[in-house]
Amino acid sequence: MAYDHQSIEAKWQQIWEDEKTFEAFEDESRPKFYNVAMYPYPSGDLHVGHLRNYTYIDLVTRYKMMQGYNVLSPMGWDSFGLPAENRAIETGVHPSESVSSQIDAMKVHFRQLGAGFDWQRELASHWPSYYQWDQWLFIQLFDRGLAYKKEAPVNWCPQDQTVLANEQVVEGACERCGTIVEKKNLAQWFFKITDFADRLLNDLDQLDEWPDRVRTMQRNWIGRSTGAQFSLAVDDSTDSFEVFTTRPDTIFGMTFAVLAPEHPLVDRLISGTDQEADARRYMTAAGRASEIERLSEGAKSGVFTGRHVINPVNGARVPIYIADYVLMGYGTGAIMAVPGQDQRDWEFATRYGIDIIRTVQPPAGYDGEAFTGDGVTINSDFLNGLSRGEAIDSMIKWFEAEGLGTATVNYRLRDWLISRQRYWGAPIPIVSCPACGLVAVPDDELPVLLPDVPDYAPKGQSPLAALEDWVATTCPSCGGGARRETDTMDTFVDSAWYFFRYTDPHNAGQIFDPEKARYWMPIDQYIGGVEHAVLHLLYARFITKFLFDVGLSSVEEPFARLFTQGMITLNGAKMSKSKGNVIPPDRYYREFGADAMRLFELFVGPPTDDAVWNDNGVAGTARFLDRVWKMGTESNDYIDRAEDDRDRALIADTHRAISKVTDDLDRFHFNTTVPVLMTLANTMTDYLADGPREETFKAAYAAMVFMLSPMAPHIAHELWERTGHDTMLATEPWPVADARLLERSTVTMVIQVNGKLRDRVDVDADIDAGDAERLALESDKISQWIDGQAVKRIIVREPNLVNIVVD
RNA sequence: GCCGGAGUGGCGAAACCGGUUUACGCGCGGCACUCAAAAUGCCGUGUCCGAAAGGACAUGCGGGUUCGAAUCCCGCCUCCGGCACCA
């Protein structure tokens, strides 16, 4: 009977739902396994690239379940955010309506794929029962000074009409829409992630089950550098300013100093100097230029202030410049410039005719510009002759003794800007009172519900600001008139802790029960796209550390093991609606079934790598499933007879397949598991062609069905049932290979002459070295190749190889 | 510029510890079944020479280590990803 994938897949999807096969409960008697796919934005249409990810997560769920783990694999929706809101602006449909229908469409996809999720724990960030706890979390941070409002130059996307976090600016452009961002001075809400910089950096070392690439990206993003911060006094003035340097050892080479155009001291310094007009003109130009323009300009530009600073180590009087290659946002916004040892300073000094003094001896014959390598310190008085490290230490001691500075650590990481001037997000639960200042909304008034608005269009401030009745409120502290915060939270706040809520999703009185979180956390396997390497994955680590600090989380790191899957591409391009190269899975479901598609998603290539979609591939895996089906349902003519060599060989091959599939699943080498099963099926076909056998074949076939269960669950469950079992295959124990059967009694021994393959012979696996050598020399082919030449050496690696070395 | 990763048939890829290169699938060619086609099954399929037996050459390029290298080392080339005036 032909395999009817349509009705059989629907049948098992219904059974898994009815029997609640994937609902999980805390159970201290079994090891837990918390398995999470990054919760998706509900975009409705999934394409074959998305399904690779969900095939992997479901494979892990089913595999770990069969291995006896108490597996939790929940699913939820990252449902706040711009796409729903932009759709609302176009169509007038409220985002909550469009999001709900998208969620329904996605659930149909997951069901069709046969994905085993615990739907009883479903959550969505736009549900008030969820974002209430976003708001609660915000207040916890606020109460501890870790959420604060500050006016600062921030990234503004003119297209989306909202500010962006640093992490959301990619090469000077909005990560979402690609528009060049502008700098604006605005009062915005920040989370003080910088307080956690050292922990976020150091704990990366523990995450040895994370891809190195992601850890490196986070390290670079945090960007810790050590050095010294010290004070430079302005000549003829009581003013001074702080500078940060990683190279205090080069201070004798300082021939100028530079302030960022936005530095607060600039105005006072230039006032009344001959250079004032020039300087002001430069600052206006620099302020107008976008970051991209500043970067692309190439040659460093700047302007002399007319003022000087005194080098504290030798009293040298050096000019102060303003230049936009110094950034206000890093360090102190001011530097000592040492062109001899810094390439940027070198370029600037060359352009403006400033002196260059080398303080590190370059190697003989060095003809480069600034020398940034290691060498002996020169031209530096009491530092002369010291190595870089010694000179740095000496200088820091000197600064400390003089009271001018100290050793300092600087980070590239900035505080996380979380307020957004958009509608579709969680309202920030703060009230601004003329008398009391910024006051948190009390817990018993949460959630601050997101009100309906007549107009979603962004106008530079949140659409909520137009709702005067909503904005006007009373102060929770003094009862006087006050105004609500109208900005909403970045959706990355929602996603920074949702995996805690999964552990206790219906708790109405608490963000989650710490005991339930303790049972499930940390996530044993987290799967998602590498595009979140420094966004979601960093924020979630930060919030987890905060929850740890306040006693809610038992772990400091949320994701014990991280897997980042590659993309599916088509004609060399990422699938996207805008490119019009999206392949929907529907046709494959219809023609070949979800199981065949799942197998091809596994088979298509190494899981971490991008893979090219091949339209014929699913037909190939469907053919394989068809063969397996026929073998199980059409070969009923078993005969009874004693086991022979052929039977023993089949059983041994089966155990080798179990061993290999188990190893490969453990190592996430999913692409190599499918060929193992295909090869086993080919072996079984050959076996059947030679005449059916009873018990032996049944055992091999059962192993095939078990191994298919996590990969192609529908057909596997159906075959399990049809071969006379009334248990649920999903919860049957995973087969274990018998180590004694894995070893072969005979192997093919390769005979080489001078490393080139010349003959092969079958030998007993326990052949000794002497016999192997003798057998090799007895070979006719080999004696032809030796042909009288002197045998210099014979390398024997019994039982696999003999290599005869001749002159 | 700096930091990662990769380069193996017509294509996706295997080869896990240095030991039979190219498993498995796609594609392609042939055959069987069929009135025919589809589906299915079987056989073949790295390149070159050769009728065959067989041989030579092949893992981006050039060297090296080794009895033996896709794998280790050195130097290049190309592609992909990340960071990029971070002082």
Side-chain angles (χ1 to χ4, degrees), chain A residues 375-397:
Chain A
V376 170
T377 309
I378 54 171
N379 299 326
S380 296
D381 192 355
F382 59 89
L383 301 178
N384 283 339
L386 299 182
S387 71
R388 179 204 286 228
E390 292 162 350
I392 289 174
D393 290 346
S394 298
M395 265 321 293
I396 289 172
K397 285 204 186 82

Side-chain angles (χ1 to χ4, degrees), chain A residues 595-601 603 616-626 674 678:
Chain A
D595 285 336
M597 202 178 66
R598 290 169 61 119
L599 280 186
F600 184 65
E601 296 273 9
F603 189 41
N616 292 309
V618 184
T621 51
R623 265 194 289 278
F624 157 69
L625 288 177
D626 238 24
V674 181
M678 287 175 164

Side-chain angles (χ1 to χ4, degrees), chain A residues 37-38 49-54 56 211 213 526-531 562-568 606-611 668 670:
Chain A
M38 289 180 188
H50 297 119
L51 291 182
R52 178 149 84 140
N53 194 16
Y54 299 112
Y56 292 158
R213 180 162 70 128
Y526 200 42
I527 302 185
V530 74
E531 67 273 15
L562 174 69
F563 177 80
T564 53
Q565 86 281 0
M567 281 183 317
I568 298 276
T608 48
D609 292 4
D610 289 352
F668 265 50
F670 302 143

Side-chain angles (χ1 to χ4, degrees), chain A residues 155-164 174 177-182:
Chain A
N155 304 300
W156 174 263
C157 174
Q159 170 70 34
D160 289 337
Q161 294 271 300
T162 185
V163 298
L164 300 170
C174 172
C177 67
T179 310
I180 302 294
V181 302
E182 299 165 358

Side-chain angles (χ1 to χ4, degrees), chain A residues 293-311:
Chain A
E293 286 163 335
R294 276 167 72 155
L295 291 179
S296 61
E297 212 224 312
K300 313 256 172 290
S301 73
V303 66
F304 178 45
T305 57
R307 308 295 296 265
H308 295 78
V309 284
I310 304 300
N311 187 338

Side-chain angles (χ1 to χ4, degrees), chain A residues 642-692:
Chain A
E643 193 174 87
D644 62 15
D645 283 350
R646 236 179 118 69
D647 297 306
R648 281 187 283 272
L650 178 64
I651 291 300
D653 281 342
T654 303
H655 279 262
R656 279 190 277 270
I658 293 169
S659 169
K660 167 88 171 140
V661 167
T662 306
D663 285 352
D664 286 352
L665 290 182
D666 287 340
R667 294 184 304 151
F668 265 50
H669 289 196
F670 302 143
N671 54 318
T672 54
T673 59
V674 181
V676 176
L677 297 184
M678 287 175 164
T679 307
L680 180 62
N682 293 344
T683 305
M684 289 166 72
T685 303
D686 292 346
Y687 177 91
L688 285 178
D690 199 42

Side-chain angles (χ1 to χ4, degrees), chain A residues 105-123:
Chain A
M106 297 258 293
K107 283 168 114 164
V108 171
H109 273 290
F110 288 141
R111 185 186 168 96
Q112 285 180 317
L113 186 68
F117 293 122
D118 181 354
W119 287 110
Q120 167 265 327
R121 293 173 188 261
E122 178 183 7
L123 56 80

Side-chain angles (χ1 to χ4, degrees), chain A residues 107-299:
Chain A
K107 283 168 114 164
V108 171
H109 273 290
F110 288 141
R111 185 186 168 96
Q112 285 180 317
L113 186 68
F117 293 122
D118 181 354
W119 287 110
Q120 167 265 327
R121 293 173 188 261
E122 178 183 7
L123 56 80
S125 33
H126 78 288
W127 294 351
S129 61
Y130 183 81
Y131 70 71
Q132 167 178 3
W133 301 107
D134 276 332
Q135 295 173 339
W136 183 86
L137 183 66
F138 181 99
I139 292 167
Q140 298 305 303
L141 288 157
F142 178 73
D143 287 347
R144 289 164 180 79
L146 294 171
Y148 64 93
K149 192 171 192 178
K150 187 180 102 176
E151 182 168 316
V154 295
N155 304 300
W156 174 263
C157 174
Q159 170 70 34
D160 289 337
Q161 294 271 300
T162 185
V163 298
L164 300 170
N166 274 8
E167 289 80 2
Q168 287 165 307
V169 179
V170 179
E171 291 179 11
C174 172
E175 171 226 22
R176 172 160 292 286
C177 67
T179 310
I180 302 294
V181 302
E182 299 165 358
K183 285 282 180 193
K184 272 196 177 185
N185 264 312
L186 292 170
Q188 294 295 320
W189 284 95
F190 294 88
F191 283 173
K192 215 169 180 182
I193 191 172
T194 51
D195 268 15
F196 293 73
D198 259 332
R199 289 162 73 188
L200 289 167
L201 182 70
N202 294 336
D203 290 353
L204 286 171
D205 294 341
Q206 301 168 20
L207 301 177
D208 44 16
E209 303 263 15
W210 278 39
D212 286 341
R213 180 162 70 128
V214 174
R215 292 200 288 175
T216 304
M217 283 164 74
Q218 291 211 357
R219 267 188 207 106
N220 291 342
W221 189 261
I222 295 168
R224 183 180 201 267
S225 36
T226 57
Q229 186 169 320
F230 62 96
S231 180
L232 286 175
V234 179
D235 191 28
D236 293 329
S237 158
T238 54
D239 281 325
S240 66
F241 57 88
E242 297 277 311
V243 295
F244 171 73
T245 179
T246 56
R247 297 295 304 275
D249 57 309
T250 63
I251 187 167
F252 284 90
M254 170 169 75
T255 52
F256 60 109
V258 187
L259 296 175
E262 303 85 0
H263 196 284
L265 196 59
V266 164
D267 193 63
R268 195 153 78 233
L269 281 184
I270 59 174
S271 292
T273 64
D274 295 346
Q275 279 72 21
E276 179 166 2
D278 278 355
R280 295 215 182 271
R281 213 173 303 125
Y282 177 79
M283 284 160 64
T284 312
R288 242 200 325 266
S290 73
E291 208 143 319
I292 285 283
E293 286 163 335
R294 276 167 72 155
L295 291 179
S296 61
E297 212 224 312

